[in-house]
Amino acid sequence: MGKKRKLEQADAGEAARQDDAAAPQRPKRTLLGWKEGDPNAAEEKRGGGGGGSVFRNKEKVLVTCSRRINSRYRHLMLNVVSLLPHCKKDNKVESKESKGATLNELVELRNCSYCLFFECRKQKDLYLWMARCPNGPSVKFLVNAVHTMEELKLTGNHLKGSRPILTFSMNFNKDPHWMLLKEMITQIFGTPKDHRKSKPFYDHVFAFSIIDDHIWFRNYQVVNQGGIEETTLVEVGPRFCLNPIKIFGGSFGGPTLYENPFYISPNQIRALEKKKKAGKFAKKVKAKTRRKMHELENPLEPDEFADLWKE
């Protein structure tokens, strides 16, 4: 009985070796998926039940903010986080001169390649940093005209996690700095294809327009009421306006590639408003002084009837 079992096992082993020799060679794999250009990999993907193409673009965006940020700007940051399924939210970072090194380290630890940093100054002014870490470039914006989703209460409502369609106005193709900003916005706000947290269809549009050297952001839901001709756009929110200040060659610093000549800081605007208010008071004081000097230079003649009714 033992000899028969050994013979049967030997025959089974030879049959398995013949099947392995007849089977196609296993395709080579890499860290990002199947090796490109391998026909066996394509057949494996079709018949392996993997559900289509393999995710290759693993770039992610780190979204964080500075300490002492007010509630309105924090809600805006949370709205942006909800719109980007490929982002990672982190704890608050102290807004100091060394914030660049801290953010670069955080981006490396969280395995991201881009960073959106909402920096609040004096609990009034909001600055937005867009940076590619760790080599740059990076852009600093002043954020104006902020309206969150909770404030607007618009009727649009798209599915969370779906991929957006990015639209840009024709002004982005005129100057080199606008072209650079367009490329950075595309890589940050564009959800990678086949991302594990994204939905495999489009149902909303991110619109970026340049008006008066400012970038205006709008988010619209695509509503299809029947045919293609009846497709309409319904605004969802949030809304904000980006005023570019400087473009740096490095990440959160480095050589200045572009500086906006029309930029005026909010501190200067507030100082001018105070000077205007102080100027009104100074005008009143000068007017009173001129009136007194005029009265002293031109005294009135004595009244003849001043002592008429005195006893």
Side-chain angles (χ1 to χ4, degrees), residues 18-259:
Q18 291 177 2
D19 293 340
D20 293 341
Q25 187 179 0
R26 184 177 180 82
K28 296 181 180 179
R29 293 197 61 169
T30 62
L31 293 175
L32 301 179
W34 300 108
K35 188 175 181 181
E36 296 181 359
D38 196 340
N40 296 329
E43 294 177 2
E44 183 97 7
K45 281 190 285 185
R46 293 193 203 99
S53 59
V54 179
F55 170 63
R56 293 183 181 277
N57 186 0
K58 294 190 176 182
E59 292 187 350
K60 293 177 283 293
V61 181
L62 179 69
V63 181
T64 183
C65 64
S66 63
R67 296 187 181 275
R68 293 173 293 277
I69 188 172
N70 58 26
S71 59
R72 190 180 187 187
Y73 296 152
R74 188 178 70 253
H75 290 163
L76 175 65
M77 183 193 69
L78 295 177
N79 292 156
V80 173
V81 169
S82 65
L83 295 176
L84 304 179
H86 61 290
C87 75
K88 289 185 177 181
K89 183 178 175 296
D90 209 316
N91 297 327
K92 296 179 180 179
V93 178
E94 190 67 38
S95 179
K96 293 183 178 179
E97 295 181 356
S98 60
K99 64 177 178 292
T102 306
L103 289 170
N104 286 330
E105 187 176 357
L106 279 175
V107 169
E108 185 179 359
L109 290 174
R110 297 303 297 272
N111 195 20
C112 298
S113 53
Y114 288 92
C115 181
L116 286 177
F117 179 57
F118 291 83
E119 183 179 7
C120 187
R121 296 285 184 88
K122 299 182 178 180
Q123 295 186 346
K124 297 179 181 179
D125 309 324
L126 180 64
Y127 297 91
L128 175 62
W129 286 85
M130 292 185 186
R132 179 174 178 83
C133 302
N135 300 322
S138 58
V139 190
K140 185 179 182 181
F141 296 97
L142 174 66
V143 185
N144 296 318
V146 174
H147 298 281
T148 61
M149 290 182 181
E150 292 78 10
E151 292 177 352
L152 295 173
K153 296 182 181 179
L154 297 170
T155 58
N157 184 21
H158 60 78
L159 186 65
K160 185 176 181 179
S162 59
R163 299 183 66 199
I165 300 173
L166 303 182
T167 60
F168 297 90
S169 61
M170 297 299 294
N171 304 342
F172 279 95
N173 299 325
K174 288 185 177 180
D175 298 323
H177 64 278
W178 292 122
M179 296 172 68
L180 176 60
L181 292 178
K182 178 182 178 181
E183 183 63 26
M184 289 194 68
I185 291 172
T186 302
Q187 295 184 18
I188 291 175
F189 286 87
T191 303
K193 185 180 179 182
D194 299 326
H195 193 275
R196 61 187 182 89
K197 290 187 179 180
S198 66
K199 305 299 185 296
F201 51 85
Y202 301 90
D203 68 342
H204 64 288
V205 179
F206 288 167
F208 297 91
S209 306
I210 297 177
I211 301 175
D212 297 333
D213 293 330
H214 291 60
I215 301 176
W216 297 80
F217 172 82
R218 295 291 184 269
N219 180 24
Y220 298 97
Q221 178 194 3
V222 180
V223 179
N224 191 355
Q225 300 176 353
I228 299 178
E229 298 178 354
E230 299 180 359
T231 301
T232 58
L233 297 177
V234 181
E235 188 173 356
V236 181
R239 296 177 178 177
F240 54 88
C241 173
L242 301 177
N243 183 12
I245 302 174
K246 284 185 179 182
I247 301 178
F248 300 96
S251 177
F252 299 99
T256 302
L257 303 180
Y258 169 77
E259 184 175 0

